[in-house]
Amino acid sequence: MFTRMHSENVQALHLFADQASGLEAVIAIHSTRLGPALGGCRYQPYAAIDSAVADAVRLARGMSYKAALAGLEQGGGKAVIIRKPHVDNRAALFEAFGRCIESLRGGYITAVDSGTSNEDMDCIARETRFVTSTTQAGDPAPHTALGVLAGIRSAARERLGQSSLNGVRVMVQGLGNVGYALAQLLVAEGVEVLAADIDPGKVRLAVDELGVFPVALDAVYESPCDVFSPCGLGGVLNADAIGQLRCAAVAGSANNQLVDADAADLLDARGILYAPDYVINAGGLLYVALTYKGEPASNIAGRIDNIGSRLDSIFGQSVAEGRSPATIADRQAEEILYS
Ligand code: NAD
């Protein structure tokens, strides 16, 4: 465990168990140097505690980098609750988790993530104030989509030399909470949107309501487009997928899009511009962090739109230094976190 903590530079790891509710949870705190660690809470099954710890530790580090480059006075953390085949009382489980968070006295603030809902956050909020994205605070996904839109504009400026998105063709992979909202925004800008989802119902809805062009799942990477926007699961950009891509840029919301560090170089070698995932998808984090601090909506919208200028600067430095945008983003985040 300590080896894993050292390799991700994680500051603290907390394990919690509550017999009455059956709770087993991990909270990893990567850094509190810029402020309290903020990051979502996952609720999913894990084969062993080791994989739950690995997930929490890896994701906590990503949150620190994301917050640093979004200009937030916030550290990075992540929680994982191990999902059992059966739970008697879901509300009691999340209330117990709320008491765990309270015991950290504000060092960690939680939020919605895979497998958790705004209603779960409401249960946590009965036990602690260190929780965001309750039903009252609202869904971060539309704000993530707004940040991705700003990022796609930046990529189009850099690679297509276009200030308007009118007539640009974007392939959206995954029409979930973020992907669907993004498709909506893109269509309103005059973008030709191609889209795919493993759920045919979501594709049908987007075709009927937004007029997107459906693409078969096995044709997603090879479909010619200007921007490929991964908004489904992470880990989609492996050597095989990158080899098939016929686009000028990759700019989407999914976390951990690159399967490994080599994937960034492969994209570079193919002349495909890559918008680093934790920079372009920070809109939701900005929304939850700034709403939690009571910032007015107009300030939050401006901060989300700044994702575009942050990417402009990363792309500019990438060209000047001949290094991938992913390398430049990591270096910028590390300068903020460790200088
Ligand atoms: P979601 O679960 O609502 O949607 C994901 C969608 O992708 C689903 O409709 C699913 O069917 C589809 N999908 C999964 N694999 C696919 C594949 N191989 N091909 C096509 N479609 C596929 O999730 P979301 O909240 O929309 O988030 C999307 C991505 O963005 C995730 O990777 C998430 O971690 C990341 N993200 C989300 C937010 C947010 O605010 N929700 C913030 C930052 C990052």
Side-chain angles (χ1 to χ4, degrees):
M1 249 178 223
F2 286 114
T3 311
R4 200 185 295 285
M5 287 176 74
H6 285 308
S7 79
E8 299 287 355
N9 217 349
V10 155
Q11 168 182 317
L13 192 59
H14 302 273
L15 302 184
F16 295 97
D18 176 69
Q19 209 164 25
S21 64
L23 175 81
E24 288 176 2
V26 179
I27 297 178
I29 295 180
H30 176 264
S31 166
T32 49
R33 178 147 181 231
L34 301 177
L38 172 61
C41 166
R42 292 201 160 178
Y43 180 44
Q44 54 191 48
Y46 288 91
I49 179 69
D50 205 40
S51 25
V53 168
D55 223 17
V57 163
R58 179 179 55 85
L59 294 163
R61 176 173 177 268
M63 291 308 297
S64 284
Y65 281 51
K66 192 185 290 204
L69 281 197
L72 286 168
E73 289 171 352
Q74 211 81 65
K78 207 80 176 183
V80 160
I81 300 178
I82 298 170
R83 188 178 208 132
K84 310 278 175 54
H86 173 74
V87 58
D88 282 337
N89 186 339
R90 185 169 172 131
L93 185 87
F94 281 92
E95 284 166 7
F97 184 59
R99 291 191 288 279
C100 303
I101 295 173
E102 180 64 17
S103 73
L104 299 177
R105 297 163 184 261
Y108 168 70
I109 303 167
T110 202
V112 156
D113 206 309
S114 314
T116 55
S117 65
N118 301 110
E119 288 74 17
D120 295 328
M121 299 302 119
D122 290 348
C123 296
I124 293 172
R126 291 203 272 272
E127 301 291 338
T128 182
R129 64 193 164 90
F130 303 116
V131 53
T132 64
S133 46
T134 53
T135 43
Q136 201 190 356
D139 181 8
H143 305 274
T144 303
L146 280 168
V148 175
L149 177 69
I152 290 176
R153 281 209 191 94
S154 167
R157 277 194 294 275
E158 176 69 25
R159 217 18 88 87
L160 309 173
Q162 282 191 224
S163 54
S164 153
L165 289 181
N166 194 18
V168 168
R169 182 187 277 196
V170 177
M171 169 79 225
V172 179
Q173 181 190 41
L175 288 164
N177 293 325
V178 178
Y180 197 89
L182 176 66
Q184 228 165 356
L185 294 168
L186 291 170
V187 167
E189 299 257 334
V191 171
E192 187 186 342
V193 179
L194 314 181
D197 197 291
I198 48 177
D199 179 346
K202 290 185 177 171
V203 179
R204 251 192 323 273
L205 194 68
V207 170
D208 293 346
E209 287 193 345
L210 309 176
V212 308
F213 298 90
V215 171
L217 285 172
D218 59 1
V220 162
Y221 300 110
E222 66 190 29
S223 293
C225 59
D226 297 303
V227 178
F228 174 68
S229 186
C231 296
L233 293 182
V236 289
L237 295 174
N238 55 27
D240 180 42
I242 292 170
Q244 292 179 53
L245 284 176
R246 294 169 71 192
C247 61
V250 172
S253 75
N255 278 314
N256 304 315
Q257 291 168 30
L258 304 175
V259 76
D260 54 28
D262 292 344
D265 296 330
L266 278 179
L267 284 165
D268 243 21
R270 288 218 47 217
I272 297 171
L273 182 71
Y274 171 66
D277 46 16
Y278 63 81
V279 181
I280 192 170
N281 73 13
L285 173 65
L286 278 159
Y287 176 75
V288 295
L290 298 174
T291 306
Y292 184 74
K293 288 186 173 161
E295 290 247 0
S298 55
N299 285 9
I300 300 176
R303 296 279 297 270
I304 292 173
D305 203 44
N306 283 346
I307 288 174
S309 47
R310 169 65 74 184
L311 283 168
D312 290 345
S313 117
I314 290 171
F315 294 151
Q317 269 193 40
S318 158
V319 171
E321 295 184 25
R323 289 167 191 264
S324 72
T327 305
I328 302 291
D330 280 355
R331 195 185 63 206
Q332 286 188 0
E334 282 157 13
E335 277 167 9
I336 297 168
L337 283 167
Y338 302 120
S339 63

